[in-house]
Amino acid sequence: MTTNPSRAGRREWTALGVLMLPLLLVSMDVSVLYFAIPEISADLDPTGTQQLWIFDIYGFVLAGLLMTMGSLGDRVGRRRLLLVGAAAFGAASLLAAYAHTAETLIAARAVLGVGGATLMPTTMALVRTMFTDPAQRAKAIGLWSGVMTAGIALGSVMSGVLVEHFWWGSVFLVNLPAMALLLILGPVLLPESKNPSPGRFDLWSVPLSLAAVLPVIYGVKELAARGWNVGHVVSITVGLLFAALFVHRQRTSASPMIPPALFRGHGFTPALVLNTGSAFGMMGSAYFTTQYLQSVLGKSALEAALWSLLPSVLIGAAAPVAAQLAQRGVERAHLVTAGFTFAACGYGLLALTGTDSLWLVLAACGVLAAGIVVVMSQLTDLALSSAPVEKAGAASSLLETGTEFGGALGMAALGSIGTALYRHGVPADAPAPARETLGGALAVAAELPGRAGDALATAAREAFTDGMRGAAVAAALLLLGAAGLAALGLRNIRVRPEADTTDAGQADRLSPSGV
């Protein structure tokens, strides 16, 4: 047991391990349906619209409720909300696994999104309250960031393995043991923490936050998937109008959901903005690399998922190394700048690829992801350290909402660049489906006789690779710009002493019993 009361001991590190379980599963659920959807379609026979909602409802509900749940956790207690969310997540997983209709599965996925929205900000906020020593907190947040990033890649692989050996419902049942373990060990290991003077919960902010986030996320994702459309632009515009109303409500309410004082914390605003930019870079690459592995190189979905695990080796090492460098006195501004630069180099490698560049693409993904994990871990630590501990839930939820928005925007912007270059590279006399997507071109090519089909498939693969290279150049320039902003905006920012954000009664509020 540690003799320094400000440093975490074995209990806290064990508790962190318990917290990693729901975080891993929540991030995995973003991609866990990739290989299960064909069996779901055969079993439940959903319409095209229902199939889209089976995919999307989880992410939409998750993004829309993050701010609400982060603020609620500050008021009712983060551990309490975490356990409620774990119970809901487990129950919804069971319902999804044995759903007999598409409507039931959509409803279960929506409840999973509600549970995920409680789990993500509360796990981050509890890390903030358990680890008050700056060096230990940086290490813990680095692990948190690495697990969250790795979970997205693991989700698709796990779904492929489970569907190959069991039935599609098994991809949801894997959630149950982890949630049961959290419900058993959470009350014993996790401290209860909350804002001692939270004020009244602002109910009007809940629908305003949903109306601000959901139309923007929906519009941006649809732009990435289907291209420019007036309806999608209107959706984004409506969301931005509600966002303005939400900001006005927070500035004028006596008890706001998101306290404006958070943005006056030294370093919080630049951390939030730069973290959103890092999510842009991370998710923007996924739009291309998954298609490249399957449609350009011809890998099966499971083969592509297994190959995509290789870059996670660099991801696992990046955040701990950055935490060690920070502990040895390297300034955070230098680490974040280096992380963005490293990520830009990953896109630079992607810009050098051809139509047969498996190892170069994997190396690019590893370098890119490692750089982004360094950035995210450092900026998350900075944002949470800048926020008062009693507002850790609200701060965490803002970071997570920014991550969702940045990821959607990255896929839309870079996807649009890649699509424009793809259409320019496909022969002008190609059938319309071939000019829309690489998948459409390969389907058309399979129906054409002999050399005509081979020529169209080759041209489409080259056009897609050209689009990926062009988007990679644009992303590299953006990340280099973010590196410059980090070098300027994070200069001389230091983590405030813990005494500035706590008081004499905090030890009682953070006790295991929570009383």
Side-chain angles (χ1 to χ4, degrees):
M1 180 179 295
T2 181
T3 58
N4 185 346
S6 69
R7 289 181 59 81
R10 183 178 302 174
R11 181 193 191 96
E12 286 79 12
W13 288 107
T14 304
L16 178 65
V18 173
L19 285 178
M20 294 299 99
L21 291 173
L23 176 64
L24 180 66
L25 293 173
V26 169
S27 58
M28 283 172 55
D29 260 44
V30 173
S31 56
V32 78
L33 290 185
Y34 283 178
F35 297 146
I37 200 65
E39 288 201 12
I40 291 174
S41 298
D43 190 18
L44 303 184
D45 192 26
T47 65
T49 300
Q50 287 175 331
Q51 182 169 305
L52 288 175
W53 279 113
I54 289 171
F55 262 116
D56 292 339
I57 191 67
Y58 174 78
F60 288 152
V61 173
L62 176 69
L65 289 177
L66 280 169
M67 286 190 288
T68 297
M69 295 304 180
S71 178
L72 188 62
D74 287 342
R75 286 168 165 79
V76 304
R78 292 146 196 155
R79 184 184 67 183
R80 179 180 300 174
L81 186 63
L82 176 72
L83 297 177
V84 170
F89 201 87
S93 298
L94 189 62
L95 178 63
Y98 293 100
H100 294 295
T101 65
E103 292 84 356
T104 302
L105 183 56
I106 291 170
R109 289 277 288 170
V111 179
L112 280 170
V114 175
T118 68
L119 295 172
M120 294 190 77
T122 50
T123 56
M124 189 187 294
L126 283 168
V127 169
R128 169 70 176 90
T129 58
M130 289 191 301
F131 295 91
T132 58
D133 177 74
Q136 289 188 319
R137 182 171 60 241
K139 182 178 180 180
I141 289 176
L143 292 171
W144 191 97
S145 301
V147 167
M148 183 181 67
T149 305
I152 298 174
L154 287 172
S156 59
V157 176
M158 179 172 286
S159 69
V161 172
L162 290 174
V163 169
E164 187 170 328
H165 294 90
F166 303 100
W167 95 110
W168 62 263
S170 61
V171 303
F172 297 106
L173 290 183
V174 295
N175 296 335
L176 297 182
M179 292 303 162
L181 189 63
L182 176 60
L183 290 171
I184 294 170
L185 297 181
V188 178
L189 294 174
L190 298 175
E192 182 59 286
S193 62
K194 60 182 179 180
N195 188 343
S197 304
R200 296 179 60 186
F201 186 71
D202 185 13
L203 290 176
W204 281 108
S205 289
V206 176
L208 283 176
S209 66
L210 287 169
V213 173
L214 291 182
V216 173
I217 296 291
Y218 173 79
V220 169
K221 284 190 173 184
E222 288 298 297
L223 285 176
R226 308 179 191 283
W228 290 96
N229 180 283
V230 173
H232 304 154
V233 175
V234 169
S235 176
I236 294 172
T237 303
V238 170
L240 293 176
L241 290 174
F242 276 105
L245 292 174
F246 177 76
V247 171
H248 176 74
R249 178 73 182 181
Q250 305 316 295
R251 297 181 65 179
T252 57
S253 174
S255 181
M257 175 187 290
I258 303 296
L262 276 177
F263 295 92
R264 294 193 288 270
H266 195 46
F268 183 83
T269 299
L272 179 62
V273 172
L274 290 170
N275 190 69
T276 301
S278 68
F280 180 105
M282 174 64 85
M283 296 306 297
S285 68
Y287 179 88
F288 297 98
T289 54
T290 54
Q291 292 186 71
Y292 181 88
L293 291 174
Q294 294 182 69
S295 298
V296 176
L297 296 183
K299 305 292 183 186
S300 70
L302 183 56
E303 284 177 326
L306 291 172
W307 277 112
S308 67
L309 284 179
L310 285 181
S312 63
V313 175
L314 286 177
I315 296 173
V321 169
Q324 286 293 325
L325 291 174
Q327 191 172 353
R328 294 182 180 182
V330 178
E331 291 189 14
R332 194 187 306 272
H334 295 161
L335 289 172
V336 175
T337 300
F340 273 123
T341 304
F342 204 62
C345 291
Y347 270 117
L349 291 175
L350 204 60
L352 301 176
T353 55
T355 55
D356 188 20
S357 303
L358 172 63
W359 290 105
L360 187 57
V361 167
L362 294 178
C365 291
V367 171
L368 167 63
I372 293 297
V373 167
V374 169
V375 170
M376 284 187 164
S377 62
Q378 291 296 308
L379 292 177
T380 300
D381 183 38
L382 173 60
L384 294 184
S385 303
S386 302
V389 70
E390 63 270 14
K391 295 180 175 64
S396 302
S397 67
L398 275 176
L399 281 173
E400 291 298 331
T401 302
T403 298
E404 292 288 328
F405 175 72
L409 187 61
M411 294 185 72
L414 299 183
S416 296
I417 293 172
T419 299
L421 292 174
Y422 170 80
R423 290 172 178 168
H424 178 74
V426 173
D429 58 349
R435 294 185 55 80
E436 289 299 317
T437 64
L438 175 57
L442 295 179
V444 171
E447 298 177 356
L448 293 177
R451 293 182 179 179
D454 293 340
L456 177 59
T458 299
R461 290 188 175 102
E462 290 176 350
F464 178 85
T465 305
D466 287 341
M468 182 174 70
R469 287 196 295 260
V473 170
L477 293 175
L478 183 142
L479 291 178
L480 288 175
L485 289 176
L488 295 174
L490 301 181
R491 286 184 304 175
N492 303 320
I493 290 181
R494 298 287 185 271
V495 177
R496 71 172 75 187
E498 203 64 32
D500 289 350
T501 60
T502 58
D503 55 44
Q506 184 167 326
D508 293 333
R509 292 196 303 277
L510 300 183
S511 67
S513 64
V515 296

